[in-house]
Amino acid sequence: MYAFYVYSHQDAPEKSLGHEPFVKFHGLFLKGVKELAEPMPPPTYEGIQLSILPYANFWNLIDKNKFCATAQDAKDGLALAADQLLVRKPVGSTYADVNVYAHTVKLATPDRPLGDKDVQIVVRETGVYILVFSNCGDVQDATVQGSVLVKNAYGFLPGSEYHKLPFYGWLSLFYSFAGLIWMSLSLRYWRELFHIQYCIAVVVFLGLVEAFLWWIFFNDWNHTGIRGRFLFIMAILSSVLKSIFSYMLVLVASLGWGVTRPYLDQRTIMKVQGMAFLYIVLDFIRESVLSFRHSHSLTLTFVLLCLLPVALLNGAIFYWIFTALSSLMETLRDRRQMEKLVLFERLWRILVFALAVASCTLLFQIFDLSRSISIRWHYQWFFADGMSHILFMLVLAAMMYLWAPHTNSQRYAYDKVADDEDEDGAKATEWADEAGDDADDESFWATTHKKPSEGVTTTSAAAEKIGAGSEAD
C-alpha cells in the first residue's frame, strides 16, 4: 500500500531528535462489520492486521500460496495465532528478529469505541519497508480507521527524501547570493540594461522562489509527517515555471530578440506560447509522478510513459534553440558584429555541454529505474533532482557572466542604426569587390565603400558647386 524509507539510528544522517526510529500504529480500529458466518465475530477477532515488512526480503518472508496461518501453524510456533499473517521465520524467533512489525486491528465495541491503545515499535534496520494490509478471517466489507506513522531519528521525512532538505536550503542561499550580485550590478549600470538582463533577473528570482518553497515543503513534512498539498502544488508550479521561462529565454535570445531584431513576429510568438503551455502541463504531470513514484511503488512502465513526452518536448525545444542559434550566428557573421558573435559562440558551447550532461543523466536515470528500489533509494534523489539543479546553476552562472551589466552592455543589444550601417557596409563591400579591376579612381571606391548613397550625394553636391562657380566666373 505504501513504502517507508527508514534509517536505523546508527545510519541516520542526522540524529537531532535523539530517539531511535519507530513505527506507531495509532488509533486503529475496525467497524461496520458484515460477517460471512454466524455468529458475529467476537471482539477478540484477530484476522485483520497492518504490518510493515522489508521490501528486499518480502517474498522470502511471505509465501504467496499460503500467507494465512492455520491452527496447526500456531501450535507449531510458526504464528502467534490462527487466521493471522503467516511470516516465514525460524522457530522460536520473533517478528522483530526478521524486521517485521505487525499490529492486529481490533473490533470497536461500546466500551472500546476507538480500539486498542497506540502501539509503538522501534525499527532497528535501515531499509525500505512495505505497508501490508491483510485479512485472514471471515470478516468482509468492514472499515479500518486510524494511521500508521514511521518516524526517523531526524523526523518524519522519508529517508529517500531527507537529503533534499539541506540541498534546497543551500540552493536558496546560492540564488540569494546570485540575486544580490545581479541586483548590485544592475543598479550600478542601470542605464546600460537591456531585455535579456531583465529576463536573467526574473530567472534568478524564480529559482530562489522554487528552492525556498521546496525547502519549506520538506521542512514542514519532516516536522508534521504530512505532505502538505498546497505547499506541494506551489513548489511543483514554481519548478515548472522556472524551467519553461528559462528555456523560452534562451530560445528567444537565439531567435535574435533584443540582439538583431527589436521584436518577434506574431507567428513565432504563437509557437513559443503554445510550446510553453504544453510544457507546463506535461512537466507538472512528470514532477507529480516523480514525487510519488517511490512511496506508492509506481511501475516502471507508467513512470516512463510520464517521462517520455517531456523528454521529447525537451528535445524539440533544444533542436529549435540550436537551429535558431546557428542562424543567428550566421547573421552576426555576415554583419561583422564580432562582439555579439563571440558572445553567442560561447553560449553555444555552454548549451552543448549542458545538453550532453543532461542526456547522460537521463539515460542513467532510465537505466536506474530498472533496478530494485532497495538498491537505489539512498542516492536516487541526486539524479532525479540534484543533478538537474546543479546543471541549471552552472548554466545560469555562465549566462550571468556572459551578460553581466557593465559600462558597454548596450553594444550587445539591438541597435537599428548600427545594424543598418552593418548591413549597408556589407552590401557596399560586396559591390566594391564585384567592381574590382574596373575601378579607375580608388578614392571614389574608398568613399562609396562606407555608404554608396553618401558618395553619390557628395559627388552631386560637388558638381553643383563647380557649376555654380563656372557661371559666376
Side-chain angles (χ1 to χ4, degrees):
M1 294 181 63
Y2 195 88
F4 293 104
Y5 299 83
V6 187
Y7 280 108
S8 67
H9 190 267
Q10 181 180 357
D11 297 336
E14 182 187 343
K15 307 177 180 66
S16 57
L17 299 181
H19 65 68
E20 295 193 76
F22 62 81
V23 54
K24 178 188 282 188
F25 299 96
H26 171 66
L28 287 165
F29 64 94
L30 183 66
K31 68 174 186 177
V33 175
K34 293 181 181 179
E35 70 284 356
L36 282 175
E38 295 292 344
M40 181 77 174
T44 55
Y45 177 78
E46 298 184 344
I48 294 180
Q49 291 178 294
L50 277 165
S51 318
I52 63 169
L53 288 81
Y55 176 85
N57 203 29
F58 185 84
W59 291 116
N60 292 327
L61 296 170
I62 300 296
D63 183 355
K64 61 183 177 181
N65 297 316
K66 182 188 177 184
F67 52 86
C68 290
T70 62
Q72 185 62 41
D73 293 326
K75 184 178 179 180
D76 294 340
L78 300 177
L80 296 178
D83 296 331
Q84 284 194 347
L85 186 66
L86 180 61
V87 177
R88 291 190 285 198
K89 57 184 180 59
V91 178
S93 63
T94 64
Y95 280 0
D97 294 332
V98 289
N99 296 303
V100 174
Y101 308 95
H103 176 70
T104 302
V105 182
K106 299 297 181 62
L107 188 69
T109 59
D111 60 329
R112 193 179 53 195
L114 298 179
D116 290 334
K117 295 181 179 179
D118 293 352
V119 176
Q120 182 171 309
I121 310 171
V122 174
V123 179
R124 302 193 179 279
E125 187 171 320
T126 298
V128 185
Y129 291 84
I130 299 297
L131 178 63
V132 177
F133 181 89
S134 59
N135 180 19
C136 287
D138 294 332
V139 171
Q140 67 170 4
D141 298 330
T143 301
V144 174
Q145 291 189 353
S147 57
V148 180
L149 299 87
V150 173
K151 193 171 186 178
N152 276 285
Y154 50 79
F156 287 106
L157 204 57
S160 58
E161 306 284 347
Y162 169 77
H163 295 285
K164 296 180 184 180
L165 179 60
F167 176 77
Y168 281 111
W170 286 108
L171 202 60
S172 300
L173 291 177
F174 167 81
Y175 281 115
S176 300
F177 181 69
L180 287 174
I181 292 177
W182 196 256
M183 185 173 65
S184 61
L185 290 173
S186 299
L187 290 174
R188 183 176 180 183
Y189 303 105
W190 65 274
R191 292 180 181 274
E192 302 295 326
L193 298 179
F194 62 102
H195 301 320
I196 293 178
Q197 291 169 333
Y198 290 118
C199 291
I200 290 176
V202 175
V203 172
V204 174
F205 174 74
L206 289 175
L208 176 60
V209 171
E210 177 201 25
F212 188 63
L213 282 175
W214 278 115
W215 183 83
I216 293 176
F217 167 72
F218 286 117
N219 193 57
D220 179 71
W221 188 0
N222 190 47
H223 283 89
T224 64
I226 299 172
R227 190 194 292 250
R229 184 174 299 176
F230 176 75
L231 284 174
F232 178 67
I233 292 174
M234 292 301 295
I236 287 184
L237 279 176
S238 65
S239 294
V240 173
L241 289 176
K242 185 206 73 173
S243 297
I244 191 58
F245 188 87
S246 306
Y247 285 158
M248 294 303 104
L249 168 61
V250 177
L251 176 58
V252 297
S254 301
L255 289 168
W257 175 69
V259 179
T260 59
R261 60 175 78 177
Y263 54 85
L264 299 177
D265 59 86
Q266 190 63 31
R267 184 179 179 184
T268 303
I269 292 174
M270 293 293 291
K271 286 182 180 179
V272 170
Q273 290 175 342
M275 185 167 285
F277 176 77
L278 184 60
Y279 187 91
I280 288 172
V281 174
L282 294 178
D283 199 42
F284 188 89
I285 295 172
R286 182 189 74 92
E287 289 282 353
S288 302
V289 168
L290 290 179
S291 297
F292 287 100
R293 73 190 185 282
H294 295 307
S295 60
H296 290 69
S297 300
L298 300 178
T299 63
L300 175 61
T301 304
F302 179 76
V303 173
L304 289 178
L305 285 175
C306 295
L307 288 177
L308 190 59
V310 181
L312 293 175
L313 188 57
N314 279 332
I317 292 173
F318 271 92
Y319 175 78
W320 193 3
I321 288 173
F322 281 109
T323 303
L325 197 54
S326 299
S327 177
L328 177 63
M329 289 192 296
E330 190 64 31
T331 301
L332 294 174
R333 192 174 289 110
D334 291 341
R335 294 182 180 181
R336 290 175 171 78
Q337 296 180 345
M338 304 312 295
E339 289 184 346
K340 292 182 181 180
L341 178 60
V342 170
L343 181 70
F344 281 95
E345 284 177 344
R346 290 174 179 172
L347 178 62
W348 174 281
R349 289 193 287 269
I350 291 169
L351 293 179
V352 168
F353 167 77
L355 185 61
V357 175
S359 300
C360 293
T361 303
L362 178 63
L363 290 175
F364 181 82
Q365 191 176 353
I366 293 173
F367 163 75
D368 199 43
L369 286 171
S370 64
R371 307 176 70 191
S372 172
I373 187 61
S374 60
I375 299 173
R376 57 186 165 89
W377 71 274
H378 297 85
Y379 61 83
Q380 56 81 30
W381 73 272
F382 181 76
F383 293 97
D385 293 79
M387 194 63 199
S388 60
H389 282 288
I390 292 173
L391 186 59
F392 186 88
M393 283 193 305
L394 293 176
V395 174
L396 179 60
M399 292 189 70
M400 289 174 69
Y401 173 76
L402 292 178
W403 272 285
H406 53 80
T407 53
N408 296 317
S409 291
Q410 284 293 331
R411 66 186 178 184
Y412 297 124
Y414 172 77
D415 185 349
K416 187 178 189 308
V417 175
D419 284 357
D420 288 345
E421 288 179 353
D422 288 334
E423 288 181 1
D424 291 341
K427 290 177 181 177
T429 302
E430 292 175 4
W431 182 34
D433 290 341
E434 288 173 1
D437 297 332
D438 296 334
D440 296 327
D441 186 357
E442 291 184 359
S443 63
F444 174 77
W445 293 116
T447 304
T448 56
H449 182 77
K450 265 191 174 180
K451 200 168 184 180
S453 59
E454 292 178 0
V456 172
T457 304
T458 304
T459 306
S460 300
E464 288 174 3
K465 272 190 176 183
I466 293 168
S470 300
E471 291 175 2
D473 291 340

